[in-house]
Every structure is written in structure tokens, then in C-alpha cells.
């Protein structure tokens, strides 16, 4: 059985020739391959390693399980889809809602475990029936709205939890990160979030030296005198050790809050597979279902032991585009580095010590970018918001999701925020479509011309028709923290 773990040496193993690319089944010399793997881990740091901190989970376990999930993904796709899986930011809002309802870390991971299982089943369905089932249930208007409300629902977390801890540091980090994203080029722009964290770390240390303790809210919300950067946990942490593990706990209220994130994960995976296919020149449509299922399995494995969920990342796309190296050997190297980092508690303590004010500046940009990915999905798919069939359910669902509107059905069961908003968008769209006049239902586009062409001419993974293509272009809204640039390459 070919597991995609055999690579031929590309050229002299040093540098790709001008205009050449290192294909997934090729590699450079092992030292260069290891360096590229480390580069992928660093590129992921800004978003992927901050996410478990924001979710209240162990960053050491998060990085270790990201390595495990990456290995599962590479084996499942037989080395055809290069990808490093990191903690999904789409779940940060879910974790905040669950904890606000009194849920523990076990409740959070239990809810996310169910999402991973649902994603696995969606992947199997795509393998069997093709991407038409995604197009039918989640056209771009639905996908974009759900992604948007998931991102913007996080705004109160920044405003009430992180920003008040040190508003001036938060403002400085926000400005620095924004400049890095806009002004830097190539690989450096891809690690702008990481650079913002380093800047904020250093700034907090300097401010503590110059001005002493700050009088503000701490991480618990209590106003006290405290250090901006508390490194006491770093000194006490061991250099080598296992991360803290815990089992999941399943509660229906938490599961219903988390389930809508499945839509965002489908979009992320579809965008990643489509982008890699375009860059390498390979038709990877037949691997979409497998990639989605592998993502689900990786998330289930991680959350089963107390870690966060995992997904593909646009930072991968950026590094590959900059280096023109698509070798899956580099991702095996990245996974090995992640496993090693996970066995270093001192590393996790450094991540956990990120000051609240720094997170305030980072999350202003990060959460906003997640929300605006929904708008990018609409733009890529040319969704017509003048059509009331599109406008009404999206408008209602976004306001409900962002405003945390609550519907109480019984004394013990209610829906609010992300869960209720997503339900309104999905059911509202399909219900209105069932009763809408014909001229509204024929308004373009539910699918764009490119995707329709794929569906007509391609087969599903088992050859029964349909397509495992770009998810109605919703995937081109794509991986986390990216504006869906894959569609620009396509058009």
C-alpha cells in the first residue's frame, strides 16, 4: 500500500531550478527539508498556538496533537495533499460561549469531539456522492453568513476580556501587527501574527521594567495591581514532560453551540485542497472527501485526550507559494517538530504567559479577519445580496449570532448566539427557497460557472458522478486568517 512516504530527490537537493517546483512526492536534502518543516511550524505559531490559549486548553497538548493530526492527514491522503494541521480558530467563540454557560474544559473538548465526528461523516458523504451534497445544503450565501457570525461573535471577548487588561499595549500591538500584515512581503507577512506576539511580549516586559505593575483587570476580570508579563510559570516548568490530558464530557447544550462550526471547517478544507491543486497543477478534487474526513479524525483524536480541534491553514499555502516547495516530506518534518515541542512543558509555559493586553491587540485583527472571510466567500461566489432570498436569512442570522440573541424553549434548554444564528441562516434559507417565486430562485449564482463546469465533467471519488471540487467556492473563503486568495489565482 502506497502511504506517500517515499520521495525522490529533486535535482541536486539544494534549490529548485528557476520556474521549477518541488512536487509532493519529491524532496530536497534532509537538512533543507527539516528547515522547511520548522518554517511551517513558525508560520503557524501566530494563529495555531494562540488558539488553545484563547480556548483555555493546554498549549503543549495542542502542539503535540497538531503533529499527530498532521501525520493522520498525510497518511489518509497518501501524501498527495501537503498540509500541516493546527488548532482551528473557528472554535474560539464556541469555547467562550460554553465556558460562559459554566462549561469546563472537558465540556469544550466533548462538544468539539462531536464536531470532529460530524466532519468525518461529511467527508465520507462527499466521497460517496460528490460535492453536490455540499452545494445543495450549504450554498455560498449560507456558508459565508455562518463564517461571518462565528468571527464577529468573538468581538465581546476582545472588548471585555483582553483589551481592558492593558489597553495601550493592546493598541500598540494592533498597530504593529497591522503594519506587518500590510507592509511586509513573502514569508514575513505570513508570520505577521507571530511577529506581533513577539513585539507585544517585548513591549510588556519593557513596560514592566519602566513603569512597574499595572492597575487593571487581570485574566479573571478582577481589577488588581499585577505584572503585564508574568513568567513565574516558565521558571517552574520542566524542560521535558508529558502535557496534561483529560477526557471529554458530552452535554447537548454545548454540542449544539459547537456544531455550526462544521460549515466553516468544510470551507477551510475545500479551499486548502483547491489551492494546493492549483499551485501544483494536480487535480485533487478526488481527495476533497478524504481530506475532510482526515481533518475530522485528527480533531477527534486530539479532543479525545483534552486537546483542541485541528484544521488546515492558509499559512501553509503562503509558505509553499513563497518557497515553491510542496514536498510532503517537509510536513512530516513539521509534525516531528510539533511532537517535540509538545514534550517541552517550558515551551507551553512561555505560550501560556502571553499577556492579556497582547492578546487584545492580536484578537482585534484575528477575530475580524475570521468574520470577514464570510464576506470574501460571498465576493468569490458573486452572491447577489439584492436578492431577498439571500439577504433575509443572512441578515437575520448574523444579527442573532453577533448579538447573542437567546431563544428559551424550556427551563433547561435554550439556543443562542452562534447555534441559533446558524440555525436561522440554514433553515431560513431553505424554507424561504421552498416558497419563493421562481424568478428569485433563478437569480445567479448558487454556483459559479467554474464550479458548475466541474460538476458536469468530473466524477466523485468512487466514480458515481458529482464532484469533490471547491465547495461552491465557499472554500475559497478558505483557510484561517486568509482572505481566500485561491480564487484570484483561479480567475
Amino acid at each position: 500500500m502506497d502511504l506517500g512516504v517515499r520521495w525522490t530527490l529533486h535535482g541536486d537537493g539544494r534549490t529548485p531550478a528557476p520556474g521549477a517546483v518541488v512536487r509532493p512526492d519529491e524532496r530536497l536534502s534532509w537538512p533543507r527539508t527539516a528547515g522547511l518543516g520548522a518554517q511551517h511550524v513558525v508560520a503557524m505559531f501566530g494563529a495555531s498556538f494562540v488558539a488553545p490559549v484563547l480556548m483555555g486548553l493546554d498549549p503543549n497538548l495542542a502542539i503535540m496533537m497538531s503533529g499527530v493530526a498532521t501525520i493522520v492527514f498525510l497518511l489518509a491522503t497518501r501524501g498527495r495533499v501537503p498540509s500541516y494541521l493546527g488548532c482551528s480558530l473557528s472554535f474560539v467563540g464556541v469555547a467562550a460561549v460554553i465556558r460562559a454557560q459554566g462549561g469546563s474544559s472537558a465540556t469544550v473538548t466533548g462538544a468539539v469531539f462531536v464536531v470532529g465526528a460530524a466532519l468525518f461523516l461529511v467527508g465520507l458523504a462527499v466521497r460517496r456522492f460528490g460535492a453536490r451534497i455540499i452545494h445543495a445544503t450549504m450554498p455560498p450565501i449560507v456558508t459565508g453568513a455562518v463564517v461571518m457570525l462565528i468571527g464577529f461573535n468573538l468581538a465581546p471577548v476582545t472588548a471585555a476580556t483582553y483589551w481592558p487588561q492593558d489597553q495601550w499595549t493592546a493598541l500598540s500591538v494592533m498597530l504593529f501587527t497591522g503594519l506587518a500584515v500590510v507592509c511586509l512581503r513573502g514569508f514575513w507577512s505570513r508570520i505577521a501574527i507571530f511577529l506581533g506576539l513577539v513585539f507585544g511580549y517585548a513591549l510588556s516586559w519593557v513596560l514592566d521594567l519602566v513603569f512597574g505593575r499595572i492597575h487593571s483587570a487581570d485574566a479573571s476580570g478582577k481589577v488588581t495591581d499585577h505584572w503585564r508579563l508574568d513568567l513565574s510559570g516558565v521558571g517552574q516548568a520542566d524542560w521535558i514532560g508529558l502535557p496534561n490530558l483529560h477526557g471529554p464530557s458530552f452535554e447537548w447544550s454545548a454540542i449544539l453551540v459547537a456544531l455550526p462550526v462544521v460549515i466553516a471547517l468544510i470551507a477551510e478544507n475545500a479551499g486548502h485542497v483547491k489551492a494546493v491543486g492549483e499551485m501544483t497543477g494536480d487535480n485533487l478534487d478526488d481527495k476533497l472527501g478524504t481530506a475532510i474526513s482526515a481533518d475530522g479524525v485528527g480533531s477527534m483524536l486530539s479532543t479525545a485526550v483534552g486537546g483542541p480541534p485541528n484544521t488546515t491553514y492558509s499559512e501553509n499555502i503562503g509558505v509553499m507559494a513563497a518557497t515553491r516547495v510542496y514536498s510532503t516530506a517537509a510536513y512530516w518534518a513539521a509534525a516531528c517538530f510539533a511532537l517535540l515541542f509538545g514534550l517541552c512543558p517550558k515551551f507551553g509555559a512561555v505560550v501560556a504567559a502571553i499577556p492579556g493586553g497582547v492578546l487584545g491587540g492580536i484578537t482585534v485583527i484575528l477575530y475580524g479577519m475570521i468574520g470577514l472571510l464570510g464576506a470574501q466567500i460571498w465576493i468569490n461566489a458573486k452572491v447577489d445580496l439584492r436578492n431577498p432570498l439571500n439577504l433575509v436569512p443572512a441578515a437575520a442570522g448574523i444579527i442573532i449570532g453577533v448579538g447573542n440573541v437567546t431563544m428559551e424553549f424550556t427551563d433547561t434548554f435554550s439556543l443562542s448566539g452562534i447555534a441559533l444564528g446558524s440555525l436561522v441562516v440554514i433553515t431560513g434559507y431553505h424554507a424561504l427557497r421552498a416558497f419563493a417565486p421562481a424568478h428569485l430562485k433563478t437569480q445567479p449564482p448558487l454556483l459559479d460557472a467554474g464550479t458548475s463546469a466541474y460538476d458536469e465533467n468530473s466524477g466523485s471519488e468512487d466514480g458515481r458522478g458529482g464532484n469533490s471540487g471547491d465547495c461552491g467556492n465557499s472554500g475559497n473563503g478558505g483557510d484561517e486568517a486568509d482572505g481566500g486568495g485561491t480564487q484570484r489565482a483561479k480567475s
Side-chain angles (χ1 to χ4, degrees), residues 1-62:
M1 180 185 294
D2 181 16
L3 297 178
V5 293
R6 296 176 181 270
W7 302 276
T8 59
L9 189 66
H10 177 89
D12 61 2
R14 295 182 178 180
T15 305
V21 300
V22 180
R23 296 181 55 78
D25 59 351
E26 298 178 327
R27 66 169 176 84
L28 298 176
S29 65
W30 284 117
R32 285 173 172 77
T33 296
L36 286 166
Q39 191 176 27
H40 279 292
V41 175
V42 172
M44 295 282 285
F45 188 96
S48 182
F49 297 175
V50 171
V53 174
L54 299 177
M55 295 175 68
L57 300 176
D58 184 354
N60 265 84
L61 182 58

Side-chain angles (χ1 to χ4, degrees), residues 115-482:
V115 175
L119 189 64
F120 171 72
L121 295 176
V122 169
L124 294 183
V126 172
R127 283 176 56 91
R128 173 64 177 81
F129 300 106
R132 286 185 184 276
I133 61 169
I134 298 178
H135 303 332
T137 56
M138 294 181 296
I141 182 61
V142 170
T143 309
V146 171
V147 172
M148 186 176 292
L149 69 86
I150 287 172
F152 291 157
N153 178 268
L154 295 167
V157 177
T158 294
T161 302
Y162 298 120
W163 194 277
Q165 293 184 43
D166 188 354
Q167 61 177 359
W168 294 111
T169 296
L171 179 63
S172 300
V173 171
M174 181 192 73
L175 294 174
F176 177 90
T177 305
L179 286 171
V181 171
V182 173
C183 299
L184 297 181
R185 294 291 181 268
F187 173 72
W188 294 105
S189 69
R190 288 289 170 180
I191 63 168
I193 300 296
F194 172 68
L195 296 177
L197 287 171
V198 173
F199 170 80
Y201 229 96
L203 178 62
S204 297
W205 179 71
V206 170
L207 291 176
D208 280 342
L209 286 179
V210 175
F211 298 107
R213 299 180 183 228
I214 186 174
H215 183 76
S216 68
D218 59 14
S220 66
K222 183 180 179 181
V223 177
T224 62
D225 290 323
H226 61 276
W227 296 110
R228 297 168 181 82
L229 179 61
D230 183 2
L231 296 175
S232 58
V234 177
Q236 298 170 5
D238 295 328
W239 280 103
I240 300 175
L242 289 173
N244 298 318
L245 307 179
H246 71 258
S249 175
F250 302 98
E251 296 182 14
W252 274 111
S253 58
I255 292 170
L256 291 174
V257 169
L259 273 175
V261 181
V262 170
I263 297 174
L265 297 180
I266 293 171
E268 290 164 1
N269 278 276
H272 186 88
V273 171
K274 194 67 180 176
V276 171
E278 289 173 351
M279 290 190 298
T280 61
D282 294 334
N283 186 345
L284 299 177
D285 290 349
D286 63 323
K287 286 300 179 184
L288 176 59
T290 301
I292 293 173
S293 289
D295 192 330
V297 171
S299 292
M300 292 167 66
L301 289 174
S302 179
T303 52
V305 296
N310 292 285
T311 190
T312 54
Y313 261 77
S314 64
E315 281 83 349
N316 294 162
I317 302 296
V319 174
M320 284 189 287
T323 61
R324 300 180 67 81
V325 177
Y326 307 105
S327 171
T328 53
Y331 286 99
W332 277 93
C336 292
F337 278 118
L339 292 172
L340 292 175
F341 276 128
L343 295 175
C344 179
K346 196 170 288 291
F347 167 79
V350 171
V351 176
I354 298 173
V358 177
L359 291 175
I362 292 293
T363 54
V364 163
I365 295 176
L366 213 53
Y367 293 169
M369 290 170 70
I370 296 172
L372 289 176
L373 287 180
Q376 187 66 53
I377 289 172
W378 289 344
I379 293 170
N380 286 341
K382 301 181 178 66
V383 171
D384 185 5
L385 291 179
R386 296 170 300 178
N387 185 342
L389 178 58
N390 293 332
L391 179 63
V392 172
I398 289 171
I399 291 300
I400 288 173
V402 175
N404 273 323
V405 175
T406 300
M407 282 287 294
E408 296 183 359
F409 296 92
T410 68
D411 291 340
T412 58
F413 179 73
S414 64
L415 288 175
S416 63
I418 294 173
L420 183 60
S422 300
L423 186 64
V424 167
V425 173
I426 297 170
T427 60
Y429 173 81
H430 290 289
L432 290 174
R433 184 171 175 78
F435 294 102
H439 73 279
L440 292 182
K441 289 189 277 191
T442 56
Q443 287 282 336
L446 282 179
L447 303 175
D448 71 4
T451 304
S452 300
Y454 284 160
D455 275 350
E456 290 166 3
N457 299 321
S458 299
S460 63
E461 290 192 33
D462 60 2
R464 291 179 174 87
N467 160 49
S468 296
D470 65 0
C471 191
N473 280 335
S474 63
N476 292 327
D479 300 341
E480 302 203 19
D482 191 1

